[in-house]
Amino acid sequence: MATTEEEVVEFQVYNTMTRQKEVFKPKEPGKVKMYVCGVTSYDFSHIGHARAYVAFDILYRYLKYLGYDVVYVRNFTDVDDKIIKRANELGEDPKTLSGRYCQEFLKDMDDLQCLQPTHQPRVTEHMEQIKEMIAEIMTNGCAYTVDGDVYFSVDSFPEYGRLSGRKLEDNRAGERVGVDSRKRNPADFALWKAAKPGEPSWESPWGPGRPGWHIECSAMSAYYLTHSFDIHGGGMDLTFPHHENEIAQSCAACRESNISYWMHNGFVNIDDEKMSKSLGNFFTIREVTRLYHPLALRYFLLGNHYRSPVNYSISQIEIASESVFYIYQTLHDSEEVLSAFQQGTETATNVRGRVSPQAQDCIRKLRIELKTKLSDDLHTPTILNAALQEALRLMNSYLNMLKRRQQRQQQLTAVLSLTELLKEVKAILDVLGLLSSSTCAEVLQQFKERALKRAELTEEDVLHAIEERTLARKNKEFAKSDQIRTDLVVKGIALMDIGTETVWRPCVRPEQEQPAAPAQPNQSAAAVQ
């Protein structure tokens, strides 16, 4: 049912290399090869990681939606100075520690509904490819050895700095290591690090040691995607030095090395301040999802364009949580009502023409807006705030209509219209990664459980308050009744009177009553490459 308006939309992405939006054209028609830098696995991942991997999950989903066959590679750095340091502090084997946090990361990604990449390579499993690439770089005269260390010579690559826009004389020596006086140029960076006592090491032509940070991504991307592929992504902080160094060493190893589009997501701020351990505003994904549903965190992140800075605050995550609850309440109510009209839904395929013009127009807008906005460099905020909201409002209007007595024809039109709207909204949510594999009822219950945790109440506490309020109303103690309701709203619990019954649901708390963000654990958050 694609419209002419849909067909003419071209997918555009912002290319950091050219500093402009470009029409996406894969190297091989119908196929896309994509590499995204993964985490250094020494601790729980933070919401900066969530920001990056939700952004590239949307890209992955949308490319698949457009019909591309996508090979998506996202790595794990499982040997690194930080991993070794943390393992020594805990008296643990570095491989065991990094393996555990790889699994914790995967759990977070699963909670956030991020699809599994095609390949998830680990550095320790690709030492041969890394050593082979270093050998090629040395053979081509772009690297040198010093006491078992191997350094890349940036002077051998005249185009160094073209991605970040930095001039060579302005570049710092490196982000993860101090200046080494043995280097020919302070900007030269390590491809191989000589072994130190008590550290993991591997044999190599230059002596025992382990890889530098940057070489791993060049070697693994080339192994899985070849030296020439379509998209390389990561956080904006990776532009320099990591991605700049990747380009230099990849080109030094293979003259045909070429990546068409470099894509970078923006930073996360906390209450308008940069997220920082020193400021005490550094939050892990797990800390957030303990109190708020992972779908709420994903919705919040999608409410900002992936290249823009994101300002995380309790009030913003509460609003996102409320929005997702509303979506799932609408889906649940629709499913419940339609199940009561099972005969009508079975007839829907034979009487599509009876879907109301209003519903047909709404569905058309949904489809056009999805493709138009996502094709404009993945502009997710507009989708969430415009056509999707219009569809949800229309669904609720049909729900209200079906609660009243209607003529058979009007009833059938409402049922068929609601059926088609439900199907289309679910399809849109699936592309956005907001459609849970759990039932709507289960998702709503999960939201309510977290609301109780935030309120520091049990279900029994709320039910007792409802009984108290019912008794107060019966005794015409309306001030007391209102106070019970107000006290619960302050805690994020809303009471709703439906007929003779009172039910509760989560709600946004008054901002002045919101608690501080969760206390930080002793461990620092994992670093993203």
Side-chain angles (χ1 to χ4, degrees), residues 17-36:
M17 181 66 78
T18 60
R19 290 163 181 74
Q20 64 183 8
K21 280 194 284 191
E22 300 175 359
V23 174
F24 178 73
K25 294 180 180 178
K27 293 180 181 294
E28 185 178 352
K31 297 185 178 182
V32 177
K33 296 178 180 179
M34 177 170 80
Y35 186 93
V36 175

Side-chain angles (χ1 to χ4, degrees), residues 380-392:
T380 53
T382 311
I383 300 171
L384 297 178
N385 297 321
L388 179 60
Q389 296 303 317
E390 181 183 335
L392 293 169

Side-chain angles (χ1 to χ4, degrees), residues 345-356:
T345 56
E346 289 174 353
T347 313
T349 55
N350 300 320
V351 286
R352 287 185 180 275
R354 296 188 183 181
V355 173
S356 74

Side-chain angles (χ1 to χ4, degrees), residues 44 60 103 125 145 233 272 275 294 321 327 344 376 402 468:
F44 290 105
Y60 184 33
Q103 293 305 311
E125 297 170 354
T145 60
D272 296 316
M275 188 168 67
S321 183
I327 291 171
D376 182 15
L402 290 169
E468 265 196 301

Side-chain angles (χ1 to χ4, degrees), residues 13-22 163 259-264 306-307 377:
V13 297
Y14 184 87
N15 190 348
T16 306
M17 181 66 78
T18 60
R19 290 163 181 74
Q20 64 183 8
K21 280 194 284 191
E22 300 175 359
L163 179 68
I259 295 166
S260 300
Y261 306 93
W262 288 87
M263 298 178 67
H264 296 90
Y306 80 95
R307 286 191 291 113
D377 195 29

Side-chain angles (χ1 to χ4, degrees), residues 497-528:
D497 298 316
I498 302 175
T500 58
E501 184 185 8
T502 299
V503 297
W504 73 272
R505 54 158 291 172
C507 69
V508 176
R509 291 168 288 183
E511 193 165 344
Q512 66 273 17
E513 301 295 341
Q514 290 169 9
Q520 297 307 297
N522 291 329
Q523 294 181 334
S524 61
V528 71

